[in-house]
Amino acid sequence: MSDAKSTILKAASELFLEGGTSALSVRAISKRAGVSTIGIYSHFKGKQGILDELYIEGFEKVFSAMDILKSAKGPRETILQGVKGYLEVADKYEAHYRLIFGESDAGYSPSEEARAVSEKAFKMLIDVSSLILPEDTSLAKKQHIALEIWAFVHGYVSLKHHAISTLISPEEWNTLALNALSTHIDAIIAKHA
Amino acid sequence: MSDAKSTILKAASELFLEGGTSALSVRAISKRAGVSTIGIYSHFKGKQGILDELYIEGFEKVFSAMDILKSAKGPRETILQGVKGYLEVADKYEAHYRLIFGESDAGYSPSEEARAVSEKAFKMLIDVSSLILPEDTSLAKKQHIALEIWAFVHGYVSLKHHAISTLISPEEWNTLALNALSTHIDAIIAKHA
DNA sequence: CATTGCACATAACAGTGTTATAGTTAATCA
DNA sequence: TGATTAACTATAACACTGTTATGTGCAATG
């Protein structure tokens, strides 16, 4: 990546972490990066291009959180560790997470390249969650189980972000999510044994 | 509600259903409603006020979907019926659902009144999900179980909306969600019997 | 009749993403 | 070396956004 390109991306990432999408105007990025506004369009495909990079950046963080396939503690604990990592990434990079799930910019929709990265992440999730299934399980079934786990974890993260109800303390959320997932994974194991 | 007020709200609701938040500009609403742009500010508190009304409108639809407490089929089937209603509302009023969960307008955050309506909906959810729990269960525990169910269902809806992966057909989603919820509710019942 | 208040249209302000125009600087090539 | 080309820059404009100030007319009230 060229110098100017990485400088722009760094500035955008900083602004993004500081104030989310609302702080991410083309003029603000170019000002902080020390380039002209037109630079955003020559080095990236406008704001869409910037958001794509941040989208991919976000998924790569999720990637690394789930990259714990080779655990000695057995499939159940490996998955729960992956869930824990996911929850932590979602907390630490909340802005990225919101962008990925469309919670921050109505106009944005990921490019083909960005979509490809997200599918790669889903495939990794399938690998991890397949650990609790018999080896001869069909791919469709594996996808369904992976989706099941993902939906559950993401549901907790999403509800937490939007804080519809303030009845539950922020610290408790991740514990509740882990307990619920633990119960559900046991149910899946029992069902498909 | 005055004539002009309901006319404006009707226009806003129509535009919203047609094209989501991006179609909801103050000028577009006033044009369709046949009033001046300033009318949005005299009858409502600007765009925020309009979005608040739609937010509440959305929650009332969720309300009515879950308002099936008195079912003769027993607690398990009653809950699953509530989940089914929830999924259907989420499909039918996708724009409202996205607004409620912040997936459509970054700048918007619900007013106190709107928040109150959402808490009322959560309390109803607690009532429904408490059906599978012993009567002497603590309120905190009831909340946790309600959150568990909500997170799971919402996770499916949210992932479906954003279609990270196109590997699963749209028609299949709700069936998968219902099956997963069915499994999990059994697990909850077994755990807290 | 005069005054008050309400709804109106028009226009403006500050911001957004994007693009056209024009000027400057650096590197490449004959 | 001198000329051309490419890449950068700044400035300004366009069409849009939410919001507000200004002025206009009309209706009801004192």
Side-chain angles (χ1 to χ4, degrees):
Chain A
M1 190 172 334
S2 75
D3 236 33
K5 205 169 173 185
S6 65
T7 305
I8 291 173
L9 200 54
K10 186 162 167 282
S13 193
E14 284 172 11
L15 283 168
F16 189 53
L17 285 172
E18 289 168 17
T21 324
S22 54
L24 251 201
S25 81
V26 172
R27 287 169 179 82
I29 298 170
S30 58
K31 191 174 180 182
R32 177 171 301 208
V35 302
S36 66
T37 61
I38 203 80
I40 311 293
Y41 294 87
S42 54
H43 290 292
F44 299 89
K45 291 164 191 167
K47 190 173 185 181
Q48 157 89 20
I50 298 279
L51 292 175
D52 266 336
E53 298 285 345
L54 294 171
Y55 183 98
I56 292 170
E57 197 174 293
F59 259 108
E60 271 161 5
K61 293 188 190 302
V62 176
F63 257 121
S64 58
M66 292 196 304
D67 196 13
I68 36 87
L69 277 173
K70 315 271 181 284
S71 167
K73 291 186 176 180
R76 204 193 106 101
E77 268 62 36
T78 304
I79 292 186
L80 284 177
Q81 196 178 332
V83 169
K84 195 158 171 262
Y86 188 99
L87 291 170
E88 281 164 7
V89 166
D91 274 343
K92 193 167 178 184
Y93 300 99
E94 186 176 331
H96 288 83
Y97 197 92
R98 295 180 102 108
L99 175 66
I100 287 175
F101 289 100
E103 296 170 4
S104 60
D105 192 305
Y108 171 68
S109 71
S111 68
E112 273 310 308
E113 190 196 347
R115 259 185 232 278
V117 174
S118 77
E119 291 208 3
K120 203 170 151 199
F122 184 52
K123 276 178 187 140
M124 175 174 260
L125 182 60
I126 292 174
D127 285 339
V128 177
S129 52
S130 296
L131 293 175
I132 53 170
L133 299 173
E135 284 194 14
D136 60 347
T137 306
S138 72
L139 177 60
K141 190 81 208 172
K142 283 180 180 176
Q143 285 178 353
H144 295 171
I145 298 298
L147 181 64
E148 212 164 304
I149 294 172
W150 197 5
F152 210 167
V153 184
H154 167 65
Y156 267 97
V157 174
S158 183
L159 284 189
K160 182 185 182 183
H161 281 170
H162 295 109
I164 296 289
S165 169
T166 53
L167 296 170
I168 287 154
S169 73
E171 303 80 28
E172 228 176 337
W173 277 90
N174 287 8
T175 310
L176 289 176
L178 269 173
N179 286 342
L181 259 297
S182 176
T183 302
H184 192 66
I185 286 170
D186 285 339
I188 293 175
I189 293 175
K191 197 174 178 182
H192 300 89
Chain B
M1 192 173 330
S2 77
D3 237 34
K5 205 171 174 184
S6 65
T7 305
I8 291 172
L9 200 55
K10 186 162 167 282
S13 195
E14 284 172 12
L15 283 167
F16 189 53
L17 285 172
E18 288 168 18
T21 325
S22 55
L24 251 201
S25 81
V26 171
R27 286 168 180 81
I29 297 170
S30 59
K31 190 175 181 182
R32 176 170 301 208
V35 302
S36 68
T37 61
I38 200 82
I40 311 293
Y41 293 86
S42 52
H43 291 292
F44 298 89
K45 291 165 190 166
K47 190 173 185 181
Q48 157 89 21
I50 299 279
L51 292 175
D52 265 336
E53 298 283 346
L54 294 171
Y55 182 99
I56 292 171
E57 197 174 293
F59 259 110
E60 272 161 5
K61 294 188 190 303
V62 176
F63 257 123
S64 59
M66 291 196 306
D67 194 12
I68 36 90
L69 276 173
K70 314 272 182 284
S71 169
K73 291 187 177 178
R76 206 193 104 100
E77 268 62 36
T78 305
I79 293 186
L80 285 176
Q81 197 178 331
V83 170
K84 195 156 170 261
Y86 188 100
L87 291 170
E88 281 164 7
V89 166
D91 275 344
K92 193 168 178 185
Y93 301 99
E94 186 177 332
H96 288 83
Y97 196 93
R98 296 179 101 108
L99 175 65
I100 287 175
F101 289 100
E103 296 170 3
S104 59
D105 191 306
Y108 171 68
S109 70
S111 67
E112 273 309 309
E113 191 196 346
R115 258 185 233 277
V117 174
S118 76
E119 291 208 4
K120 204 171 152 196
F122 185 52
K123 278 182 184 132
M124 175 173 260
L125 183 61
I126 292 174
D127 285 341
V128 177
S129 51
S130 296
L131 292 175
I132 53 170
L133 299 173
E135 284 194 14
D136 60 347
T137 307
S138 72
L139 177 60
K141 190 82 208 169
K142 284 180 180 175
Q143 286 177 352
H144 294 173
I145 299 298
L147 181 64
E148 212 165 304
I149 293 173
W150 197 4
F152 210 167
V153 184
H154 167 65
Y156 267 97
V157 175
S158 183
L159 284 189
K160 182 184 182 183
H161 280 170
H162 295 110
I164 296 291
S165 168
T166 53
L167 295 172
I168 287 154
S169 75
E171 303 81 28
E172 226 177 338
W173 277 88
N174 288 8
T175 309
L176 290 176
L178 269 173
N179 285 342
L181 258 296
S182 177
T183 301
H184 191 67
I185 286 169
D186 285 340
I188 293 175
I189 293 176
K191 197 175 178 183
H192 300 88

